[in-house]
Amino acid sequence: MNGPTTYLGHGTAAERWERARLFFDAKEYATAARVLEPLAQEAPEQLAPRLLLARAYYHSAQLSRAEAELRAVLERWPVEDYAQLMLGRTLERLGRAAEARPHLRMASAMAGDLPEQGPE
């Protein structure tokens, strides 16, 4: 018997989404990820659960999983600037700063945070 965690997967998708958000907001990131994993698999076309899953992985130091989820998000939504930023930050945390730089630059450019040009 799984004990107290058996309720995590019960309910409608909307109820599980709300449960995941509650765990995330309570900084119970690993538990939020456990709720979000099946939601993301059930509805891969939904961006919000996938981004929250990546964030939950990131905050619970499951960085390889965060990287994989963010790469999957960017494959489907290449113009998702927040995913670019998160991937860059994840790669930095993994000690891969050179690999992170293009993602961070892309996120800045997409968000309109371009470096100021001097007078010409």
mmCIF file with all atom_site columns, all heavy atoms in Angstrom, residues 20-48:
data_model
loop_
_atom_site.group_PDB
_atom_site.id
_atom_site.type_symbol
_atom_site.label_atom_id
_atom_site.label_alt_id
_atom_site.label_comp_id
_atom_site.label_asym_id
_atom_site.label_entity_id
_atom_site.label_seq_id
_atom_site.pdbx_PDB_ins_code
_atom_site.Cartn_x
_atom_site.Cartn_y
_atom_site.Cartn_z
_atom_site.occupancy
_atom_site.B_iso_or_equiv
_atom_site.pdbx_formal_charge
_atom_site.auth_seq_id
_atom_site.auth_comp_id
_atom_site.auth_asym_id
_atom_site.auth_atom_id
_atom_site.pdbx_PDB_model_num
ATOM 1   N N   . ALA A 1 20 ? -1.589 20.269 -7.465  1.00 0.00 ? 20 ALA A N   1
ATOM 2   C CA  . ALA A 1 20 ? -0.180 20.496 -7.810  1.00 0.00 ? 20 ALA A CA  1
ATOM 3   C C   . ALA A 1 20 ? 0.216  21.931 -7.512  1.00 0.00 ? 20 ALA A C   1
ATOM 4   O O   . ALA A 1 20 ? 1.293  22.186 -6.966  1.00 0.00 ? 20 ALA A O   1
ATOM 5   C CB  . ALA A 1 20 ? 0.059  20.172 -9.280  1.00 0.00 ? 20 ALA A CB  1
ATOM 6   N N   . ARG A 1 21 ? -0.640 22.873 -7.864  1.00 0.00 ? 21 ARG A N   1
ATOM 7   C CA  . ARG A 1 21 ? -0.342 24.287 -7.592  1.00 0.00 ? 21 ARG A CA  1
ATOM 8   C C   . ARG A 1 21 ? -0.248 24.560 -6.095  1.00 0.00 ? 21 ARG A C   1
ATOM 9   O O   . ARG A 1 21 ? 0.603  25.338 -5.658  1.00 0.00 ? 21 ARG A O   1
ATOM 10  C CB  . ARG A 1 21 ? -1.384 25.179 -8.253  1.00 0.00 ? 21 ARG A CB  1
ATOM 11  C CG  . ARG A 1 21 ? -1.278 25.077 -9.776  1.00 0.00 ? 21 ARG A CG  1
ATOM 12  C CD  . ARG A 1 21 ? -1.918 26.209 -10.486 1.00 0.00 ? 21 ARG A CD  1
ATOM 13  N NE  . ARG A 1 21 ? -1.671 27.459 -9.809  1.00 0.00 ? 21 ARG A NE  1
ATOM 14  C CZ  . ARG A 1 21 ? -1.008 28.475 -10.343 1.00 0.00 ? 21 ARG A CZ  1
ATOM 15  N NH1 . ARG A 1 21 ? -0.516 28.381 -11.537 1.00 0.00 ? 21 ARG A NH1 1
ATOM 16  N NH2 . ARG A 1 21 ? -0.866 29.596 -9.687  1.00 0.00 ? 21 ARG A NH2 1
ATOM 17  N N   . LEU A 1 22 ? -1.113 23.924 -5.322  1.00 0.00 ? 22 LEU A N   1
ATOM 18  C CA  . LEU A 1 22 ? -1.050 24.096 -3.863  1.00 0.00 ? 22 LEU A CA  1
ATOM 19  C C   . LEU A 1 22 ? 0.277  23.579 -3.311  1.00 0.00 ? 22 LEU A C   1
ATOM 20  O O   . LEU A 1 22 ? 0.909  24.240 -2.479  1.00 0.00 ? 22 LEU A O   1
ATOM 21  C CB  . LEU A 1 22 ? -2.228 23.393 -3.184  1.00 0.00 ? 22 LEU A CB  1
ATOM 22  C CG  . LEU A 1 22 ? -3.598 24.048 -3.385  1.00 0.00 ? 22 LEU A CG  1
ATOM 23  C CD1 . LEU A 1 22 ? -4.706 23.135 -2.862  1.00 0.00 ? 22 LEU A CD1 1
ATOM 24  C CD2 . LEU A 1 22 ? -3.657 25.401 -2.702  1.00 0.00 ? 22 LEU A CD2 1
ATOM 25  N N   . PHE A 1 23 ? 0.691  22.408 -3.768  1.00 0.00 ? 23 PHE A N   1
ATOM 26  C CA  . PHE A 1 23 ? 1.982  21.867 -3.326  1.00 0.00 ? 23 PHE A CA  1
ATOM 27  C C   . PHE A 1 23 ? 3.122  22.768 -3.776  1.00 0.00 ? 23 PHE A C   1
ATOM 28  O O   . PHE A 1 23 ? 4.048  23.037 -3.013  1.00 0.00 ? 23 PHE A O   1
ATOM 29  C CB  . PHE A 1 23 ? 2.202  20.440 -3.845  1.00 0.00 ? 23 PHE A CB  1
ATOM 30  C CG  . PHE A 1 23 ? 1.493  19.398 -3.044  1.00 0.00 ? 23 PHE A CG  1
ATOM 31  C CD1 . PHE A 1 23 ? 0.489  18.632 -3.615  1.00 0.00 ? 23 PHE A CD1 1
ATOM 32  C CD2 . PHE A 1 23 ? 1.827  19.161 -1.717  1.00 0.00 ? 23 PHE A CD2 1
ATOM 33  C CE1 . PHE A 1 23 ? -0.166 17.657 -2.878  1.00 0.00 ? 23 PHE A CE1 1
ATOM 34  C CE2 . PHE A 1 23 ? 1.185  18.193 -0.969  1.00 0.00 ? 23 PHE A CE2 1
ATOM 35  C CZ  . PHE A 1 23 ? 0.169  17.436 -1.553  1.00 0.00 ? 23 PHE A CZ  1
ATOM 36  N N   . PHE A 1 24 ? 3.053  23.252 -5.008  1.00 0.00 ? 24 PHE A N   1
ATOM 37  C CA  . PHE A 1 24 ? 4.111  24.136 -5.506  1.00 0.00 ? 24 PHE A CA  1
ATOM 38  C C   . PHE A 1 24 ? 4.169  25.412 -4.671  1.00 0.00 ? 24 PHE A C   1
ATOM 39  O O   . PHE A 1 24 ? 5.243  25.839 -4.241  1.00 0.00 ? 24 PHE A O   1
ATOM 40  C CB  . PHE A 1 24 ? 3.878  24.462 -6.987  1.00 0.00 ? 24 PHE A CB  1
ATOM 41  C CG  . PHE A 1 24 ? 5.030  25.198 -7.602  1.00 0.00 ? 24 PHE A CG  1
ATOM 42  C CD1 . PHE A 1 24 ? 6.074  24.508 -8.201  1.00 0.00 ? 24 PHE A CD1 1
ATOM 43  C CD2 . PHE A 1 24 ? 5.085  26.586 -7.570  1.00 0.00 ? 24 PHE A CD2 1
ATOM 44  C CE1 . PHE A 1 24 ? 7.156  25.186 -8.744  1.00 0.00 ? 24 PHE A CE1 1
ATOM 45  C CE2 . PHE A 1 24 ? 6.150  27.271 -8.115  1.00 0.00 ? 24 PHE A CE2 1
ATOM 46  C CZ  . PHE A 1 24 ? 7.201  26.567 -8.706  1.00 0.00 ? 24 PHE A CZ  1
ATOM 47  N N   . ASP A 1 25 ? 3.018  26.023 -4.437  1.00 0.00 ? 25 ASP A N   1
ATOM 48  C CA  . ASP A 1 25 ? 2.966  27.265 -3.654  1.00 0.00 ? 25 ASP A CA  1
ATOM 49  C C   . ASP A 1 25 ? 3.457  27.047 -2.218  1.00 0.00 ? 25 ASP A C   1
ATOM 50  O O   . ASP A 1 25 ? 3.990  27.973 -1.606  1.00 0.00 ? 25 ASP A O   1
ATOM 51  C CB  . ASP A 1 25 ? 1.548  27.838 -3.644  1.00 0.00 ? 25 ASP A CB  1
ATOM 52  C CG  . ASP A 1 25 ? 1.119  28.380 -5.001  1.00 0.00 ? 25 ASP A CG  1
ATOM 53  O OD1 . ASP A 1 25 ? 2.000  28.591 -5.877  1.00 0.00 ? 25 ASP A OD1 1
ATOM 54  O OD2 . ASP A 1 25 ? -0.094 28.567 -5.198  1.00 0.00 ? 25 ASP A OD2 1
ATOM 55  N N   . ALA A 1 26 ? 3.280  25.825 -1.696  1.00 0.00 ? 26 ALA A N   1
ATOM 56  C CA  . ALA A 1 26 ? 3.756  25.487 -0.346  1.00 0.00 ? 26 ALA A CA  1
ATOM 57  C C   . ALA A 1 26 ? 5.232  25.075 -0.360  1.00 0.00 ? 26 ALA A C   1
ATOM 58  O O   . ALA A 1 26 ? 5.761  24.650 0.664   1.00 0.00 ? 26 ALA A O   1
ATOM 59  C CB  . ALA A 1 26 ? 2.905  24.367 0.243   1.00 0.00 ? 26 ALA A CB  1
ATOM 60  N N   . LYS A 1 27 ? 5.868  25.196 -1.529  1.00 0.00 ? 27 LYS A N   1
ATOM 61  C CA  . LYS A 1 27 ? 7.276  24.839 -1.716  1.00 0.00 ? 27 LYS A CA  1
ATOM 62  C C   . LYS A 1 27 ? 7.544  23.353 -1.495  1.00 0.00 ? 27 LYS A C   1
ATOM 63  O O   . LYS A 1 27 ? 8.648  22.960 -1.153  1.00 0.00 ? 27 LYS A O   1
ATOM 64  C CB  . LYS A 1 27 ? 8.183  25.715 -0.852  1.00 0.00 ? 27 LYS A CB  1
ATOM 65  C CG  . LYS A 1 27 ? 8.050  27.172 -1.219  1.00 0.00 ? 27 LYS A CG  1
ATOM 66  C CD  . LYS A 1 27 ? 8.976  28.051 -0.452  1.00 0.00 ? 27 LYS A CD  1
ATOM 67  C CE  . LYS A 1 27 ? 8.701  29.462 -0.945  1.00 0.00 ? 27 LYS A CE  1
ATOM 68  N NZ  . LYS A 1 27 ? 9.434  30.474 -0.398  1.00 0.00 ? 27 LYS A NZ  1
ATOM 69  N N   . GLU A 1 28 ? 6.536  22.546 -1.751  1.00 0.00 ? 28 GLU A N   1
ATOM 70  C CA  . GLU A 1 28 ? 6.660  21.088 -1.743  1.00 0.00 ? 28 GLU A CA  1
ATOM 71  C C   . GLU A 1 28 ? 6.842  20.656 -3.201  1.00 0.00 ? 28 GLU A C   1
ATOM 72  O O   . GLU A 1 28 ? 5.986  20.038 -3.808  1.00 0.00 ? 28 GLU A O   1
ATOM 73  C CB  . GLU A 1 28 ? 5.407  20.447 -1.129  1.00 0.00 ? 28 GLU A CB  1
ATOM 74  C CG  . GLU A 1 28 ? 5.193  20.777 0.324   1.00 0.00 ? 28 GLU A CG  1
ATOM 75  C CD  . GLU A 1 28 ? 6.181  20.069 1.237   1.00 0.00 ? 28 GLU A CD  1
ATOM 76  O OE1 . GLU A 1 28 ? 6.727  19.022 0.828   1.00 0.00 ? 28 GLU A OE1 1
ATOM 77  O OE2 . GLU A 1 28 ? 6.421  20.570 2.342   1.00 0.00 ? 28 GLU A OE2 1
ATOM 78  N N   . TYR A 1 29 ? 8.008  21.035 -3.740  1.00 0.00 ? 29 TYR A N   1
ATOM 79  C CA  . TYR A 1 29 ? 8.236  20.907 -5.181  1.00 0.00 ? 29 TYR A CA  1
ATOM 80  C C   . TYR A 1 29 ? 8.266  19.461 -5.668  1.00 0.00 ? 29 TYR A C   1
ATOM 81  O O   . TYR A 1 29 ? 7.735  19.160 -6.732  1.00 0.00 ? 29 TYR A O   1
ATOM 82  C CB  . TYR A 1 29 ? 9.515  21.634 -5.568  1.00 0.00 ? 29 TYR A CB  1
ATOM 83  C CG  . TYR A 1 29 ? 9.495  23.092 -5.189  1.00 0.00 ? 29 TYR A CG  1
ATOM 84  C CD1 . TYR A 1 29 ? 10.403 23.606 -4.274  1.00 0.00 ? 29 TYR A CD1 1
ATOM 85  C CD2 . TYR A 1 29 ? 8.548  23.960 -5.733  1.00 0.00 ? 29 TYR A CD2 1
ATOM 86  C CE1 . TYR A 1 29 ? 10.382 24.949 -3.920  1.00 0.00 ? 29 TYR A CE1 1
ATOM 87  C CE2 . TYR A 1 29 ? 8.516  25.306 -5.385  1.00 0.00 ? 29 TYR A CE2 1
ATOM 88  C CZ  . TYR A 1 29 ? 9.433  25.788 -4.476  1.00 0.00 ? 29 TYR A CZ  1
ATOM 89  O OH  . TYR A 1 29 ? 9.404  27.110 -4.132  1.00 0.00 ? 29 TYR A OH  1
ATOM 90  N N   . ALA A 1 30 ? 8.880  18.562 -4.919  1.00 0.00 ? 30 ALA A N   1
ATOM 91  C CA  . ALA A 1 30 ? 8.945  17.161 -5.351  1.00 0.00 ? 30 ALA A CA  1
ATOM 92  C C   . ALA A 1 30 ? 7.548  16.550 -5.395  1.00 0.00 ? 30 ALA A C   1
ATOM 93  O O   . ALA A 1 30 ? 7.220  15.795 -6.318  1.00 0.00 ? 30 ALA A O   1
ATOM 94  C CB  . ALA A 1 30 ? 9.868  16.361 -4.430  1.00 0.00 ? 30 ALA A CB  1
ATOM 95  N N   . THR A 1 31 ? 6.710  16.891 -4.425  1.00 0.00 ? 31 THR A N   1
ATOM 96  C CA  . THR A 1 31 ? 5.334  16.383 -4.417  1.00 0.00 ? 31 THR A CA  1
ATOM 97  C C   . THR A 1 31 ? 4.545  16.992 -5.567  1.00 0.00 ? 31 THR A C   1
ATOM 98  O O   . THR A 1 31 ? 3.790  16.291 -6.247  1.00 0.00 ? 31 THR A O   1
ATOM 99  C CB  . THR A 1 31 ? 4.654  16.682 -3.069  1.00 0.00 ? 31 THR A CB  1
ATOM 100 O OG1 . THR A 1 31 ? 5.460  16.122 -2.021  1.00 0.00 ? 31 THR A OG1 1
ATOM 101 C CG2 . THR A 1 31 ? 3.264  16.077 -3.005  1.00 0.00 ? 31 THR A CG2 1
ATOM 102 N N   . ALA A 1 32 ? 4.739  18.272 -5.805  1.00 0.00 ? 32 ALA A N   1
ATOM 103 C CA  . ALA A 1 32 ? 4.071  18.915 -6.952  1.00 0.00 ? 32 ALA A CA  1
ATOM 104 C C   . ALA A 1 32 ? 4.457  18.208 -8.242  1.00 0.00 ? 32 ALA A C   1
ATOM 105 O O   . ALA A 1 32 ? 3.606  17.951 -9.097  1.00 0.00 ? 32 ALA A O   1
ATOM 106 C CB  . ALA A 1 32 ? 4.430  20.396 -7.013  1.00 0.00 ? 32 ALA A CB  1
ATOM 107 N N   . ALA A 1 33 ? 5.727  17.872 -8.374  1.00 0.00 ? 33 ALA A N   1
ATOM 108 C CA  . ALA A 1 33 ? 6.183  17.176 -9.587  1.00 0.00 ? 33 ALA A CA  1
ATOM 109 C C   . ALA A 1 33 ? 5.494  15.823 -9.730  1.00 0.00 ? 33 ALA A C   1
ATOM 110 O O   . ALA A 1 33 ? 5.107  15.444 -10.844 1.00 0.00 ? 33 ALA A O   1
ATOM 111 C CB  . ALA A 1 33 ? 7.703  17.007 -9.562  1.00 0.00 ? 33 ALA A CB  1
ATOM 112 N N   . ARG A 1 34 ? 5.332  15.108 -8.628  1.00 0.00 ? 34 ARG A N   1
ATOM 113 C CA  . ARG A 1 34 ? 4.665  13.794 -8.700  1.00 0.00 ? 34 ARG A CA  1
ATOM 114 C C   . ARG A 1 34 ? 3.218  13.925 -9.171  1.00 0.00 ? 34 ARG A C   1
ATOM 115 O O   . ARG A 1 34 ? 2.696  13.039 -9.846  1.00 0.00 ? 34 ARG A O   1
ATOM 116 C CB  . ARG A 1 34 ? 4.737  13.077 -7.354  1.00 0.00 ? 34 ARG A CB  1
ATOM 117 C CG  . ARG A 1 34 ? 6.097  12.510 -7.071  1.00 0.00 ? 34 ARG A CG  1
ATOM 118 C CD  . ARG A 1 34 ? 6.094  11.459 -5.974  1.00 0.00 ? 34 ARG A CD  1
ATOM 119 N NE  . ARG A 1 34 ? 5.533  11.898 -4.719  1.00 0.00 ? 34 ARG A NE  1
ATOM 120 C CZ  . ARG A 1 34 ? 6.206  12.537 -3.754  1.00 0.00 ? 34 ARG A CZ  1
ATOM 121 N NH1 . ARG A 1 34 ? 7.487  12.800 -3.908  1.00 0.00 ? 34 ARG A NH1 1
ATOM 122 N NH2 . ARG A 1 34 ? 5.607  12.881 -2.640  1.00 0.00 ? 34 ARG A NH2 1
ATOM 123 N N   . VAL A 1 35 ? 2.562  15.018 -8.799  1.00 0.00 ? 35 VAL A N   1
ATOM 124 C CA  . VAL A 1 35 ? 1.188  15.250 -9.256  1.00 0.00 ? 35 VAL A CA  1
ATOM 125 C C   . VAL A 1 35 ? 1.185  15.687 -10.725 1.00 0.00 ? 35 VAL A C   1
ATOM 126 O O   . VAL A 1 35 ? 0.331  15.273 -11.511 1.00 0.00 ? 35 VAL A O   1
ATOM 127 C CB  . VAL A 1 35 ? 0.485  16.314 -8.377  1.00 0.00 ? 35 VAL A CB  1
ATOM 128 C CG1 . VAL A 1 35 ? -0.909 16.619 -8.900  1.00 0.00 ? 35 VAL A CG1 1
ATOM 129 C CG2 . VAL A 1 35 ? 0.426  15.853 -6.922  1.00 0.00 ? 35 VAL A CG2 1
ATOM 130 N N   . LEU A 1 36 ? 2.160  16.501 -11.105 1.00 0.00 ? 36 LEU A N   1
ATOM 131 C CA  . LEU A 1 36 ? 2.190  17.074 -12.450 1.00 0.00 ? 36 LEU A CA  1
ATOM 132 C C   . LEU A 1 36 ? 2.649  16.091 -13.526 1.00 0.00 ? 36 LEU A C   1
ATOM 133 O O   . LEU A 1 36 ? 2.245  16.231 -14.688 1.00 0.00 ? 36 LEU A O   1
ATOM 134 C CB  . LEU A 1 36 ? 3.101  18.296 -12.467 1.00 0.00 ? 36 LEU A CB  1
ATOM 135 C CG  . LEU A 1 36 ? 2.543  19.519 -11.756 1.00 0.00 ? 36 LEU A CG  1
ATOM 136 C CD1 . LEU A 1 36 ? 3.649  20.512 -11.435 1.00 0.00 ? 36 LEU A CD1 1
ATOM 137 C CD2 . LEU A 1 36 ? 1.459  20.163 -12.599 1.00 0.00 ? 36 LEU A CD2 1
ATOM 138 N N   . GLU A 1 37 ? 3.494  15.137 -13.185 1.00 0.00 ? 37 GLU A N   1
ATOM 139 C CA  . GLU A 1 37 ? 4.018  14.217 -14.201 1.00 0.00 ? 37 GLU A CA  1
ATOM 140 C C   . GLU A 1 37 ? 2.911  13.554 -15.009 1.00 0.00 ? 37 GLU A C   1
ATOM 141 O O   . GLU A 1 37 ? 2.926  13.616 -16.244 1.00 0.00 ? 37 GLU A O   1
ATOM 142 C CB  . GLU A 1 37 ? 4.935  13.178 -13.562 1.00 0.00 ? 37 GLU A CB  1
ATOM 143 C CG  . GLU A 1 37 ? 6.274  13.748 -13.150 1.00 0.00 ? 37 GLU A CG  1
ATOM 144 C CD  . GLU A 1 37 ? 7.073  12.857 -12.212 1.00 0.00 ? 37 GLU A CD  1
ATOM 145 O OE1 . GLU A 1 37 ? 6.537  11.841 -11.703 1.00 0.00 ? 37 GLU A OE1 1
ATOM 146 O OE2 . GLU A 1 37 ? 8.240  13.196 -11.973 1.00 0.00 ? 37 GLU A OE2 1
ATOM 147 N N   . PRO A 1 38 ? 1.923  12.916 -14.360 1.00 0.00 ? 38 PRO A N   1
ATOM 148 C CA  . PRO A 1 38 ? 0.862  12.307 -15.175 1.00 0.00 ? 38 PRO A CA  1
ATOM 149 C C   . PRO A 1 38 ? 0.011  13.335 -15.917 1.00 0.00 ? 38 PRO A C   1
ATOM 150 O O   . PRO A 1 38 ? -0.436 13.075 -17.036 1.00 0.00 ? 38 PRO A O   1
ATOM 151 C CB  . PRO A 1 38 ? 0.022  11.506 -14.176 1.00 0.00 ? 38 PRO A CB  1
ATOM 152 C CG  . PRO A 1 38 ? 0.512  11.839 -12.823 1.00 0.00 ? 38 PRO A CG  1
ATOM 153 C CD  . PRO A 1 38 ? 1.790  12.586 -12.946 1.00 0.00 ? 38 PRO A CD  1
ATOM 154 N N   . LEU A 1 39 ? -0.189 14.507 -15.327 1.00 0.00 ? 39 LEU A N   1
ATOM 155 C CA  . LEU A 1 39 ? -0.956 15.544 -16.025 1.00 0.00 ? 39 LEU A CA  1
ATOM 156 C C   . LEU A 1 39 ? -0.262 15.954 -17.316 1.00 0.00 ? 39 LEU A C   1
ATOM 157 O O   . LEU A 1 39 ? -0.910 16.116 -18.355 1.00 0.00 ? 39 LEU A O   1
ATOM 158 C CB  . LEU A 1 39 ? -1.114 16.784 -15.133 1.00 0.00 ? 39 LEU A CB  1
ATOM 159 C CG  . LEU A 1 39 ? -2.239 16.765 -14.115 1.00 0.00 ? 39 LEU A CG  1
ATOM 160 C CD1 . LEU A 1 39 ? -2.172 18.002 -13.234 1.00 0.00 ? 39 LEU A CD1 1
ATOM 161 C CD2 . LEU A 1 39 ? -3.580 16.669 -14.798 1.00 0.00 ? 39 LEU A CD2 1
ATOM 162 N N   . ALA A 1 40 ? 1.032  16.147 -17.255 1.00 0.00 ? 40 ALA A N   1
ATOM 163 C CA  . ALA A 1 40 ? 1.798  16.541 -18.439 1.00 0.00 ? 40 ALA A CA  1
ATOM 164 C C   . ALA A 1 40 ? 1.763  15.444 -19.498 1.00 0.00 ? 40 ALA A C   1
ATOM 165 O O   . ALA A 1 40 ? 1.709  15.739 -20.695 1.00 0.00 ? 40 ALA A O   1
ATOM 166 C CB  . ALA A 1 40 ? 3.229  16.874 -18.050 1.00 0.00 ? 40 ALA A CB  1
ATOM 167 N N   . GLN A 1 41 ? 1.771  14.206 -19.068 1.00 0.00 ? 41 GLN A N   1
ATOM 168 C CA  . GLN A 1 41 ? 1.704  13.088 -20.022 1.00 0.00 ? 41 GLN A CA  1
ATOM 169 C C   . GLN A 1 41 ? 0.318  12.972 -20.648 1.00 0.00 ? 41 GLN A C   1
ATOM 170 O O   . GLN A 1 41 ? 0.185  12.648 -21.818 1.00 0.00 ? 41 GLN A O   1
ATOM 171 C CB  . GLN A 1 41 ? 2.080  11.782 -19.331 1.00 0.00 ? 41 GLN A CB  1
ATOM 172 C CG  . GLN A 1 41 ? 3.536  11.696 -18.962 1.00 0.00 ? 41 GLN A CG  1
ATOM 173 C CD  . GLN A 1 41 ? 3.856  10.470 -18.127 1.00 0.00 ? 41 GLN A CD  1
ATOM 174 O OE1 . GLN A 1 41 ? 2.984  9.677  -17.788 1.00 0.00 ? 41 GLN A OE1 1
ATOM 175 N NE2 . GLN A 1 41 ? 5.123  10.320 -17.788 1.00 0.00 ? 41 GLN A NE2 1
ATOM 176 N N   . GLU A 1 42 ? -0.714 13.227 -19.847 1.00 0.00 ? 42 GLU A N   1
ATOM 177 C CA  . GLU A 1 42 ? -2.088 13.120 -20.344 1.00 0.00 ? 42 GLU A CA  1
ATOM 178 C C   . GLU A 1 42 ? -2.418 14.209 -21.361 1.00 0.00 ? 42 GLU A C   1
ATOM 179 O O   . GLU A 1 42 ? -3.222 13.983 -22.260 1.00 0.00 ? 42 GLU A O   1
ATOM 180 C CB  . GLU A 1 42 ? -3.083 13.230 -19.181 1.00 0.00 ? 42 GLU A CB  1
ATOM 181 C CG  . GLU A 1 42 ? -3.105 12.037 -18.268 1.00 0.00 ? 42 GLU A CG  1
ATOM 182 C CD  . GLU A 1 42 ? -3.905 12.320 -16.998 1.00 0.00 ? 42 GLU A CD  1
ATOM 183 O OE1 . GLU A 1 42 ? -4.788 13.208 -17.005 1.00 0.00 ? 42 GLU A OE1 1
ATOM 184 O OE2 . GLU A 1 42 ? -3.633 11.644 -15.987 1.00 0.00 ? 42 GLU A OE2 1
ATOM 185 N N   . ALA A 1 43 ? -1.845 15.389 -21.169 1.00 0.00 ? 43 ALA A N   1
ATOM 186 C CA  . ALA A 1 43 ? -2.165 16.521 -22.046 1.00 0.00 ? 43 ALA A CA  1
ATOM 187 C C   . ALA A 1 43 ? -0.881 17.227 -22.475 1.00 0.00 ? 43 ALA A C   1
ATOM 188 O O   . ALA A 1 43 ? -0.607 18.347 -22.059 1.00 0.00 ? 43 ALA A O   1
ATOM 189 C CB  . ALA A 1 43 ? -3.098 17.482 -21.321 1.00 0.00 ? 43 ALA A CB  1
ATOM 190 N N   . PRO A 1 44 ? -0.082 16.565 -23.325 1.00 0.00 ? 44 PRO A N   1
ATOM 191 C CA  . PRO A 1 44 ? 1.194  17.165 -23.719 1.00 0.00 ? 44 PRO A CA  1
ATOM 192 C C   . PRO A 1 44 ? 1.036  18.469 -24.497 1.00 0.00 ? 44 PRO A C   1
ATOM 193 O O   . PRO A 1 44 ? 1.986  19.234 -24.615 1.00 0.00 ? 44 PRO A O   1
ATOM 194 C CB  . PRO A 1 44 ? 1.852  16.082 -24.570 1.00 0.00 ? 44 PRO A CB  1
ATOM 195 C CG  . PRO A 1 44 ? 0.748  15.206 -25.020 1.00 0.00 ? 44 PRO A CG  1
ATOM 196 C CD  . PRO A 1 44 ? -0.314 15.285 -23.969 1.00 0.00 ? 44 PRO A CD  1
ATOM 197 N N   . GLU A 1 45 ? -0.171 18.731 -25.003 1.00 0.00 ? 45 GLU A N   1
ATOM 198 C CA  . GLU A 1 45 ? -0.407 19.972 -25.738 1.00 0.00 ? 45 GLU A CA  1
ATOM 199 C C   . GLU A 1 45 ? -0.668 21.158 -24.816 1.00 0.00 ? 45 GLU A C   1
ATOM 200 O O   . GLU A 1 45 ? -0.757 22.289 -25.279 1.00 0.00 ? 45 GLU A O   1
ATOM 201 C CB  . GLU A 1 45 ? -1.581 19.789 -26.710 1.00 0.00 ? 45 GLU A CB  1
ATOM 202 C CG  . GLU A 1 45 ? -2.944 19.717 -26.048 1.00 0.00 ? 45 GLU A CG  1
ATOM 203 C CD  . GLU A 1 45 ? -3.271 18.389 -25.345 1.00 0.00 ? 45 GLU A CD  1
ATOM 204 O OE1 . GLU A 1 45 ? -2.495 17.429 -25.441 1.00 0.00 ? 45 GLU A OE1 1
ATOM 205 O OE2 . GLU A 1 45 ? -4.316 18.324 -24.691 1.00 0.00 ? 45 GLU A OE2 1
ATOM 206 N N   . GLN A 1 46 ? -0.757 20.917 -23.515 1.00 0.00 ? 46 GLN A N   1
ATOM 207 C CA  . GLN A 1 46 ? -0.980 21.975 -22.538 1.00 0.00 ? 46 GLN A CA  1
ATOM 208 C C   . GLN A 1 46 ? 0.356  22.487 -22.010 1.00 0.00 ? 46 GLN A C   1
ATOM 209 O O   . GLN A 1 46 ? 1.125  21.745 -21.405 1.00 0.00 ? 46 GLN A O   1
ATOM 210 C CB  . GLN A 1 46 ? -1.831 21.461 -21.372 1.00 0.00 ? 46 GLN A CB  1
ATOM 211 C CG  . GLN A 1 46 ? -3.233 21.059 -21.759 1.00 0.00 ? 46 GLN A CG  1
ATOM 212 C CD  . GLN A 1 46 ? -4.079 22.252 -22.137 1.00 0.00 ? 46 GLN A CD  1
ATOM 213 O OE1 . GLN A 1 46 ? -4.021 23.292 -21.498 1.00 0.00 ? 46 GLN A OE1 1
ATOM 214 N NE2 . GLN A 1 46 ? -4.857 22.101 -23.194 1.00 0.00 ? 46 GLN A NE2 1
ATOM 215 N N   . LEU A 1 47 ? 0.635  23.752 -22.226 1.00 0.00 ? 47 LEU A N   1
ATOM 216 C CA  . LEU A 1 47 ? 1.917  24.338 -21.834 1.00 0.00 ? 47 LEU A CA  1
ATOM 217 C C   . LEU A 1 47 ? 2.032  24.535 -20.327 1.00 0.00 ? 47 LEU A C   1
ATOM 218 O O   . LEU A 1 47 ? 3.082  24.234 -19.731 1.00 0.00 ? 47 LEU A O   1
ATOM 219 C CB  . LEU A 1 47 ? 2.114  25.672 -22.555 1.00 0.00 ? 47 LEU A CB  1
ATOM 220 C CG  . LEU A 1 47 ? 3.376  26.449 -22.216 1.00 0.00 ? 47 LEU A CG  1
ATOM 221 C CD1 . LEU A 1 47 ? 4.625  25.653 -22.565 1.00 0.00 ? 47 LEU A CD1 1
ATOM 222 C CD2 . LEU A 1 47 ? 3.368  27.794 -22.934 1.00 0.00 ? 47 LEU A CD2 1
ATOM 223 N N   . ALA A 1 48 ? 1.002  25.026 -19.675 1.00 0.00 ? 48 ALA A N   1
ATOM 224 C CA  . ALA A 1 48 ? 1.090  25.393 -18.255 1.00 0.00 ? 48 ALA A CA  1
ATOM 225 C C   . ALA A 1 48 ? 1.534  24.233 -17.352 1.00 0.00 ? 48 ALA A C   1
ATOM 226 O O   . ALA A 1 48 ? 2.455  24.412 -16.537 1.00 0.00 ? 48 ALA A O   1
ATOM 227 C CB  . ALA A 1 48 ? -0.226 25.983 -17.770 1.00 0.00 ? 48 ALA A CB  1
#
